[in-house]
Amino acid sequence: MSGALTAGDADAVAVLTRAADALGVAITGLVNLLDVGLVVLTGDGFGAAADFFATRAQEGVDRAFFARRTHPVRVTVSAHPSRAAALGGAALALRSALAG
């Protein structure tokens, strides 16, 4: 699908636009609830379309985040998507060990 998006296939663009816009709605709900300043997209599921998803999601957050006038929320793509699960697991284990 990412290849079709890159090639400009109209059907792929339409499907991925709807998916990315839905992700933007979900992220907006998350940031409205938790008031975070950074959302990092990661995982193999985004593939070559990761930047497309991040851009569309950012546009949705910019329009609908309740506190957008008090602080920004940045939606970005992980620099290390293939290691995200391992890094997250390691961070949770470290946090648990340090909490005692």
Side-chain angles (χ1 to χ4, degrees):
M1 202 63 155
S2 296
L5 173 70
T6 304
D9 178 274
D11 291 333
V13 170
V15 167
L16 291 177
T17 296
R18 285 187 64 200
D21 289 348
L23 179 64
V25 169
I27 290 171
T28 300
L30 174 76
V31 298
N32 281 331
L33 181 65
L34 301 177
D35 196 24
V36 297
L38 175 66
V39 176
V40 180
L41 304 180
T42 189
D44 295 334
F46 289 108
D51 289 330
F52 176 80
F53 273 87
T55 299
R56 294 293 299 196
Q58 182 71 65
E59 291 168 358
V61 169
D62 289 346
R63 277 191 309 273
F65 174 49
F66 293 151
R68 66 185 167 275
R69 289 186 177 90
T70 61
H71 71 85
V73 172
R74 188 169 143 234
V75 179
T76 189
V77 177
S78 172
H80 306 288
S82 63
R83 292 188 267 162
L87 290 173
L92 288 173
L94 182 60
R95 177 196 235 172
S96 177
L98 292 176

